[in-house]
Structures are given as structure tokens and as C-alpha cells.
Amino acid sequence: MHLKIRLTCRKYEIWAFSFFSLVTGLYVLHSSIALLLLNKEVPITRGMLYPRESETREVHSLDGIWNFVRSDPDNPTQGIRDKWFEKDLSKSQPTIPMPVPASYNDITTDNLRDHVGTVWYDRRFFVPRSWRTDQRVWLRFGSVHYEAYVWVNGKRVVKHEMGHLPFEAEVTDVLMYGSENRITVMCDNALIQTSVPQGKITEVPNDNGMTIVQSYTFDFFNYAGIHRSVHLYTTPKTLIEEVKVTTNLKNQNADGEVSYSVSVKGSVVNEADNDLHIQANLYDKEGLLVANATSDGKLEGELQVAEVKPWWPYLMHPDPGYLYQLEIKLLAANEELLDVYRLKVGLRTLSWDQTQFLINGKSVYFRGFGRHEDSDIRGKGLDNALMVRDFNLLKWIGANAYRTSHYPYSEESMQFADEHGIMIIDECPSVDTENFSQELLGKHKSSLEQLIHRDRNHPSVVMWSIANEPRTGSLTADSYFSLVANFTRSLDKTRPITAAIATPYTKDQAGRHLDIISFNRYNAWYTNTGRLDMVTQNVIDEAVAWNKAYQKPVIMSEYGADTLEGLHIQPAYVWSEEFQMEVFSRHFKAFDELRKKGWFIGEFVWNFADFKTAQSYTRVGGNKKGVFTRARQPKAVAHLLRKRYFALGRDLDQCNIPEDIFIYIAEWKS
């Protein structure tokens, strides 16, 4: 019998083999016959502003050491049936300490790493009496992977499906003020064919009978747990629920415009009921007021900024990542201050056509990485020290961009990218998408809706990636990605859409729906392994073919070779540092030829750093394609890549070259 694990109020369903075979057969049929897909609506996210303190808001962190219980994989719903959420977990099961935020997989010394199914967290926290007074209290999670159920004092307050994205609930009426409270979380890491990303659950025999196994095709480890910070925060009863910002530059970038739109919760707002209004103030980096405006009851307006300082990417301007602070004050008709929220904004314009991508009217050549949120012990857990180190390395090597492969990264890292002028291709968690179905389409669209709602105000986000290496050769992929792409455009028309495609251009059905073509290919590694003489021309030919097929700008979004640090073999041999350098060098030659054609706009290495994968005889401790080790130390190729990225910056953007980039060798005499 095959198992398909799916929590639906959370009861695991066991489907008979005959039904599983029928579904499998239908999926196979979809590859040869296009499936009729309907463009159904998906739930729209409300609120979810990043927690910030102000005159009207308080923020309390619930990060720290929580209590943890692993469910029996053969009895994953026991905690629901026995109502573990009604009391401390320790009264139901033995608990162990577990850090939050962090993946739970690598914390212990037992086999928790490969656990499939549900786990439980809980902790106690204190709520002051002062929070009872005329305000709301919210509980917010930055991310739980993959699905979460949350109880406060035994009452369920929220359910959320989708890792890597935030969710929240108002808990005003379930808290005990001036007293201790308890929060309980059930997390399920099971991936199935209608989750995003997809996976499969099977039951297989082992030495003790049968066991449940999670499998997936994507090449990174399925870390799970409470991955990002948990906050408790307060707002007034009538509050600023959402802020949407767009910017524009005018008069040859001499002046700027900030358009804002505010949604309010807790009061009916319409044109006839002009009792609430917004005071918007814009401050520069020195704290000087540069623009202000007062809205009417529509709660929207524009700020005109003279002598604007635009947001520029790193190395394209001496002062990259310039940010203003936008202050939004919600006022009553009598000018009473109801709520205040502040956020950073960068003023810039984006445009694109059939041959180029421009920021502030200047053509951009992307040079960067695919990355992963991944580190030893913490897994995908938020790690501020690691984040700062990564951005220091990005700037050291001269990169101006990266793709959030293959899921949304932390909100803190997005803010850091804003501040440092690093451009982001923001990718939803759809990876290796296949077996297209109506249910999968709905969740795929929901992941994009949540992503765009979260990241729409970030100046660093310059492009949306709607998938990584989807199986775009099937007939259904045409209608599927037409619906996904058009839905994405309906949410944001100010940024172009791409997807990292690995299907050959001769079979691809998705490229016509994109604004920019991105393709992944591993010449001399997965194809023609070891043949360094089969790289340069293959890269040129494929990029030319993609452009010819779709008449759109082209990016090579992945290339590289696994490399074991310290392995040296001459002449170059696969897995050696010499081979990685040779592979890069031959790609560089292809990229320089392609840049002359006018429509090739970027090169992204795979990967920034080594990262963990599922166990495999093709992976020694994980994927080793990193330019940096998992400990964030450079391999030999990092120094080669640094020379190239800064040389491109000098030639294209007239940036300065670091003094230490070329070390002294000898005095040359002619």
C-alpha cells in the first residue's frame, strides 16, 4: 500500500494502492494531453507589516529556547487526538529544548534529521497588564516550514500552509493579561504533489517492518521547523493595516515621486466618511524632512522630492542603496494621532524591453549568484551573523545581484539588500514543478500572492521569478504558466517576470509568458562531464537560440561545477579546484561574446556557498558547487570571480577597483 500524507484537520489519509495508481496514471496522461485549468481566485493577504516599534506600537520577541516533541511517524495525529495543545507539552510527552528560530533537523544527535511528519513546540510567555488597555495584540511568525497550526492558551488562532513566508493572527481576546500564557505550535514537514514545493510520501519496508519516507526531486535539504522570528506586538484598535509604495524618477533623475496607499483596520473609511486622514512625511538619511503631504479620506497620496537621491545598485553609483524613511501617521478628524508606522523606501524606476533591463534609465548587467539560506547546525534558521557575513562576501566579490533560489528569503535579508544596493530576483517556492493540477495551480498562485504582498515595497526587488526548473516540456505547462504569469502581473506591473528554465528551448512551453528568459545549464558537469572543450560554444549557441525563439533579454541563471575544497589536480579534473576555475573561465569567454549581441543581460553562478542536500551517492556532504564553503570561506575560484566581477563593474559602471584585487607578482620590463 502506498501512503499519501496530508493533514486535513490534521488526520493522515491512507489511500489504497489502486487509487494511487489511478492518480499516477492521470499525471502521466497530463504529460501528453493538456489538462484544462481554470483561473480561480486565491485568498488575498491582509496586513502583515513587518513588526516595528513606534509611538503607538510595542514589539516583544518570543525567540529563544522552546520545548519540543517529535510525533511518532506512525501516529502523527496523536497530539491532535490527545489535545496536547490544552496543557504544557511536558505533561503529555517528554520534551527536549529546541532553539527558535532554527531548523530542528541538525540540532540533536539522533535521527531527528530525517523525521517525516509532525513535530510540536511550546513555550510560556508573560503579557503585561498594560497591554490590556484599548489596543490589539498580534502574534506573528516570520516562517514555519512547511505547515503550521498555532494555539494560544489551548485555543487555535491560526493555520498556515507555505514555508518561507510570514503569517499572523490577532490574539487580543485569547491572552491573559498580567499573567503567563502558553503558545503551542504543530509543524508538519510533509511534502506531497500539491504542496509548493512538491514531494512524495511512501511507505517502504525496513528492518523493523515499515517506515515512512519523504522524497523530492529538488537538490537541497528539506529543512523544517520554526525558521524565522516569532513576535508578539501591539497596535491601536484603529490601525494602519497595509502600506503600499511605488516610486518614480522625473526630469532626468533630478526629481522623484513617492506614491503611497494606506489601508486601515478598525474603522469604515469611504469618501463620504472623511473622518480619517494620513500625514505622510519623508526624511532623508540625515533625518531631514524632504517632503510631506496630507491625504483625504482615500488615504493615498504623492510626495514630490526635489534633488532626489536615487536608489542605485552596488557599484553602479558611489552611494548605492540610498534609502529615505517614510513616516505614515494615521489621524482622526480632530487630529488625534491614532497610529504611526515607518518604513524605508528607495526611489528608483525600472523598465525593460526586448533587449535590455534598465534601472533609473541606465542599462543593467547582472552579475551575481543563486544562493541558499543554509548553514551548519541552524539549517535554514534565521542567523543575523551569517547574513551579515554573506553580504560582506557579496560586496567583497563585486556581485550586484542574487536570486532567492528557490524560495523567499527572510525579511531581514531583504531589508539588508535594500540598504546595500544588492538587486534581488525574488523567487517563489515552486521548484521542479510537475504534474500540473488545479490544486497545485491555486497554491502556486497563493505563494506568489503572499511573496509579492510581503516584498512589493523593497527597492532591491527588481524581478519576480515564478519557478525554478519547472517541467515546461508538457502541453499543460503552456496554460499553467500563462495563468501563473498573468496572475503575477495583475499583482505588480512594475517589475518583469522570469523563471529559471532547464527544459531545452526546443521543448519549452513557458518562455513565451515571461518578460526575461533565464536558463540553467551545467556544461562539462551534468552534460559532457569533464569536457572543458564543450563549454563556450554550447553556452553561446543555447543563449542565441533562446533569444531567437522569444526575442527577449536572456540571463544565464545557473552554471557551475561541484568542487571539493583543497582538492588540486593538474591537468584539471572534475571535483578539483582547477576544474572549477576552468569551467568558470570558459563561461566567462562565452558571456563576453554574448554581451556584444546587446540582449544578454546577466550571469549568475550556482552557487554562492556549499549547502546541504538529501543523502545521495552523488553528493559528499551536500552540494559543493559553492564559490565559498559552507563555512563561508573562499575557494580558489572566488578570487577569479572577484577579478571578473570588478572588471565588469569598471568597464560597464566605472566603479573603482579594490587595491588588493591584483597582488604584486613581478616588475615587468619591455
Side-chain angles (χ1 to χ4, degrees):
M1 178 178 290
H2 289 262
L3 288 179
K4 184 176 183 181
I5 294 189
R6 180 175 178 73
L7 284 168
T8 328
C9 255
R10 285 312 281 175
K11 181 176 181 181
Y12 280 116
E13 299 174 348
I14 301 178
W15 290 5
F17 176 81
S18 58
F19 187 79
F20 181 87
S21 300
L22 174 62
V23 173
T24 303
L26 288 173
Y27 282 143
V28 172
L29 187 63
H30 290 166
S31 65
S32 58
I33 301 176
L35 176 69
L36 178 62
L37 296 169
L38 303 177
N39 191 24
K40 296 182 179 180
E41 294 184 358
V42 298
I44 300 300
T45 306
R46 301 292 302 175
M48 221 70 70
L49 290 172
Y50 187 79
R52 302 182 192 278
E53 292 191 323
S54 72
E55 298 90 321
T56 58
R57 297 173 175 235
E58 293 182 62
V59 179
H60 176 62
S61 172
L62 295 182
D63 293 354
I65 303 299
W66 292 43
N67 306 303
F68 182 88
V69 171
R70 166 180 25 185
S71 299
D72 182 348
D74 296 324
N75 192 11
T77 59
Q78 178 187 359
I80 297 289
R81 295 194 310 274
D82 294 348
K83 299 182 179 180
W84 291 355
F85 50 84
E86 289 189 346
K87 52 185 177 295
D88 291 347
L89 285 175
S90 60
K91 295 179 180 178
S92 301
Q93 294 284 323
T95 63
I96 61 172
M98 185 61 63
V100 171
S103 301
Y104 60 71
N105 307 80
D106 293 342
I107 301 297
T108 67
T109 55
D110 59 12
N111 62 350
L112 180 60
R113 178 190 64 209
D114 299 313
H115 173 72
V116 179
T118 59
V119 299
W120 291 73
Y121 294 78
D122 83 350
R123 66 158 291 172
R124 287 183 168 270
F125 61 95
F126 206 91
V127 178
R129 286 182 296 177
S130 60
W131 280 22
R132 191 202 314 263
T133 308
D134 196 30
Q135 59 185 348
R136 302 173 188 255
V137 184
W138 303 81
L139 176 63
R140 189 183 194 274
F141 289 78
S143 165
V144 178
H145 187 76
Y146 167 76
E147 188 167 24
Y149 285 72
V150 181
W151 294 263
V152 173
N153 296 328
K155 296 180 181 179
R156 200 178 94 179
V157 295
V158 66
K159 166 191 175 295
H160 183 260
E161 178 183 357
M162 202 72 65
H164 316 291
L165 289 162
F167 59 96
E168 67 182 8
E170 184 177 356
V171 293
T172 309
D173 296 333
V174 298
L175 291 174
M176 296 182 292
Y177 298 89
S179 179
E180 266 198 328
N181 294 259
R182 183 183 63 257
I183 179 172
T184 309
V185 179
M186 185 183 75
C187 167
D188 179 21
N189 70 348
L191 302 178
I192 59 176
Q193 285 294 284
T194 54
S195 58
V196 182
Q198 293 169 298
K200 292 180 181 178
I201 300 290
T202 52
E203 189 181 40
V204 298
N206 68 358
D207 292 345
N208 300 313
M210 303 293 287
T211 189
I212 292 170
V213 174
Q214 169 81 75
S215 61
Y216 40 85
T217 61
F218 54 83
D219 190 32
F220 57 94
F221 192 78
N222 185 39
Y223 278 115
I226 303 177
H227 279 160
R228 297 174 190 155
S229 290
V230 185
H231 289 105
L232 205 64
Y233 72 95
T234 68
T235 66
K237 289 288 187 182
T238 301
L239 68 137
I240 298 167
E241 184 180 33
E242 296 186 13
V243 179
K244 183 178 180 180
V245 175
T246 58
T247 67
N248 188 31
L249 300 179
K250 303 181 295 183
N251 304 326
Q252 297 180 325
N253 297 344
D255 301 314
E257 183 177 85
V258 178
S259 299
Y260 62 90
S261 175
V262 177
S263 297
V264 169
K265 184 179 181 66
S267 178
V268 177
V269 180
N270 55 55
E271 294 185 38
D273 199 16
N274 197 16
D275 57 345
L276 299 179
H277 56 282
I278 293 293
Q279 174 69 47
N281 301 313
L282 191 70
Y283 298 90
D284 66 14
K285 193 176 289 188
E286 286 70 42
L288 299 176
L289 181 67
V290 296
N292 64 333
T294 301
S295 74
D296 55 18
K298 293 182 179 180
L299 305 182
E300 59 186 36
E302 295 177 350
L303 296 167
Q304 304 300 323
V305 186
E307 299 179 359
V308 67
K309 296 180 179 178
W311 188 93
W312 285 102
Y314 177 56
L315 299 182
M316 287 186 71
H317 189 272
D319 189 11
Y322 191 93
L323 297 175
Y324 293 83
Q325 180 171 259
L326 177 61
E327 178 183 71
I328 301 291
K329 291 185 175 182
L330 177 64
L331 302 171
N334 62 358
E335 300 300 315
E336 177 190 359
L337 179 65
L338 300 177
D339 196 11
V340 182
Y341 190 82
R342 298 177 178 90
L343 69 157
K344 299 289 183 66
V345 298
L347 278 73
R348 52 106 175 107
T349 58
L350 303 179
S351 58
W352 62 96
D353 56 28
Q354 290 183 316
T355 61
Q356 60 183 337
F357 174 90
L358 303 97
I359 187 163
N360 305 335
K362 184 175 181 180
S363 182
V364 171
Y365 186 75
F366 293 94
R367 42 196 185 270
F369 296 93
R371 297 181 58 207
H372 269 299
E373 287 189 325
D374 171 277
S375 66
D376 194 23
I377 301 176
R378 299 166 189 80
K380 293 194 181 304
L382 175 65
D383 184 335
N384 287 324
L386 185 75
M387 179 182 71
V388 173
R389 171 68 174 178
D390 283 354
F391 273 86
N392 283 334
L393 291 174
L394 285 167
K395 297 176 75 173
W396 174 83
I397 209 167
N400 65 7
Y402 65 83
R403 177 167 58 111
T404 67
S405 42
H406 301 297
Y407 39 82
Y409 288 5
S410 72
E411 292 162 283
E412 292 79 6
S413 70
M414 306 304 290
Q415 295 161 13
F416 226 61
D418 292 343
E419 294 170 6
H420 291 270
I422 302 297
M423 293 178 289
I424 303 296
I425 298 178
D426 211 356
E427 190 162 271
C428 77
S430 175
V431 53
D432 289 8
T433 313
E434 59 183 352
N435 297 338
F436 305 109
S437 67
Q438 189 69 54
E439 185 176 359
L440 179 67
L441 174 63
K443 292 182 181 179
H444 193 162
K445 289 166 63 178
S446 178
S447 75
L448 281 160
E449 189 279 332
Q450 293 179 60
L451 171 65
I452 293 171
H453 183 91
R454 190 195 76 165
D455 290 347
R456 62 192 176 188
N457 292 336
H458 287 288
S460 58
V461 176
V462 299
M463 203 179 305
W464 304 114
S465 175
I466 61 176
N468 177 75
E469 296 190 358
R471 309 316 192 217
T472 61
S474 72
L475 293 177
T476 304
D478 186 2
S479 59
Y480 184 94
F481 282 99
S482 173
L483 293 170
V484 172
N486 288 334
F487 175 74
T488 305
R489 290 189 184 93
S490 73
L491 299 173
D492 181 18
K493 295 180 175 62
T494 68
R495 297 173 174 93
I497 296 170
T498 192
I501 300 175
T503 301
Y505 72 93
T506 54
K507 299 179 180 179
D508 172 65
Q509 301 291 323
R512 64 175 60 92
H513 306 299
L514 308 175
D515 299 309
I516 292 173
I517 302 297
S518 301
F519 74 99
N520 301 347
R521 196 69 64 221
Y522 291 88
N523 292 285
W525 191 255
Y526 295 129
T527 59
N528 303 316
T529 306
R531 294 302 302 262
L532 293 168
D533 59 340
M534 297 182 182
V535 175
T536 303
Q537 195 58 48
N538 282 346
V539 172
I540 293 172
D541 291 346
E542 182 168 10
V544 169
W546 280 109
N547 177 258
K548 184 177 180 180
Y550 294 119
Q551 298 296 304
K552 295 174 182 178
V554 176
I555 293 172
M556 191 166 194
S557 42
E558 290 186 21
Y559 71 95
D562 281 85
T563 304
L564 185 62
E565 59 174 307
L567 178 63
H568 294 283
I569 302 176
Q570 185 64 34
Y573 193 85
V574 291
W575 289 93
S576 70
E577 299 215 38
E578 286 78 8
F579 185 79
Q580 188 180 35
M581 293 179 71
E582 291 280 6
V583 167
F584 276 45
S585 177
R586 281 158 171 74
H587 279 85
F588 297 164
K589 186 175 182 180
F591 298 153
D592 285 347
E593 287 299 313
L594 289 168
R595 287 195 298 119
K596 297 174 184 177
K597 299 182 182 298
W599 44 257
F600 188 77
I601 64 168
E603 54 192 75
F604 286 76
V605 173
W606 188 261
N607 189 283
F608 176 76
D610 295 346
F611 57 91
K612 189 168 185 173
T613 64
Q615 296 185 68
S616 166
Y617 56 82
T618 64
R619 293 281 178 256
V620 183
N623 190 302
K624 302 295 186 182
K625 292 187 180 68
V627 166
F628 300 98
T629 67
R630 202 180 189 207
R632 275 34 181 203
Q633 297 301 329
K635 299 178 186 177
V637 77
H639 299 279
L640 177 69
L641 187 64
R642 185 177 186 230
K643 291 179 173 67
R644 174 167 179 80
Y645 279 179
F646 273 104
L648 288 170
R650 178 195 60 195
D651 294 345
L652 299 174
D653 303 318
Q654 295 75 53
C655 77
N656 295 323
I657 301 293
E659 293 182 359
D660 67 339
I661 202 165
F662 296 107
I663 60 175
Y664 181 84
I665 299 174
E667 182 178 353
W668 296 91
K669 296 182 180 180
S670 57

